[in-house]
């Protein structure tokens, strides 16, 4: 009987240990994906700002051309 309880405890501990490892892996993966997403978001925001700057310059040039006509 004692051997059976010991085996059950070992199995329960191993299941708990595996669940903790799975959780830690999932947390790490989520952190990595979040960091990647944040970096991509920053890069896209920089591109948007650059495009908005180009658009503003082009609008200014167009307005100057239209004023000269």
């Amino acid at each position: 009987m004692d051997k059976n309880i010991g085996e059950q405890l070992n199995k329960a501990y191993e299941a708990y240990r595996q669940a903790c490892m799975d959780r830690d892996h999932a947390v790490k993966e989520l952190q990595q994906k979040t960091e990647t997403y944040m970096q991509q978001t920053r890069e896209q925001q920089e591109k948007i700002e650059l495009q908005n700057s180009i658009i503003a310059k082009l609008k200014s040039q167009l307005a100057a051309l239209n004023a000269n006509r």
Side-chain angles (χ1 to χ4, degrees), residues 6-20:
E7 289 177 11
Q8 289 176 344
L9 285 173
N10 284 338
K11 286 181 183 179
Y13 174 75
E14 183 58 32
Y16 171 76
R17 185 177 152 290
Q18 186 63 44
C20 289

Side-chain angles (χ1 to χ4, degrees), residues 4 14 21 26 31-32 36 39 43-44 50 58 63 68:
N4 193 15
E14 183 58 32
M21 289 172 43
Q31 287 173 337
Q32 289 174 341
T36 299
Q39 179 64 29
E43 290 171 1
Q44 290 299 317
L50 177 61
L58 290 173
N68 289 336

Side-chain angles (χ1 to χ4, degrees), residues 2-57:
D2 289 335
K3 183 179 179 183
N4 193 15
I5 291 173
E7 289 177 11
Q8 289 176 344
L9 285 173
N10 284 338
K11 286 181 183 179
Y13 174 75
E14 183 58 32
Y16 171 76
R17 185 177 152 290
Q18 186 63 44
C20 289
M21 289 172 43
D22 291 346
R23 180 203 61 211
D24 292 345
H25 176 74
V27 167
K28 184 177 179 179
E29 186 177 351
L30 179 60
Q31 287 173 337
Q32 289 174 341
K33 287 182 178 185
T34 300
E35 289 172 9
T36 299
Y37 170 77
M38 295 300 291
Q39 179 64 29
Q40 290 174 344
T41 301
R42 281 190 296 273
E43 290 171 1
Q44 290 299 317
Q45 188 61 38
E46 290 173 4
K47 287 180 184 179
I48 290 169
E49 290 172 5
L50 177 61
Q51 292 296 317
N52 283 337
S53 174
I54 292 169
I55 289 169
K57 287 178 185 177

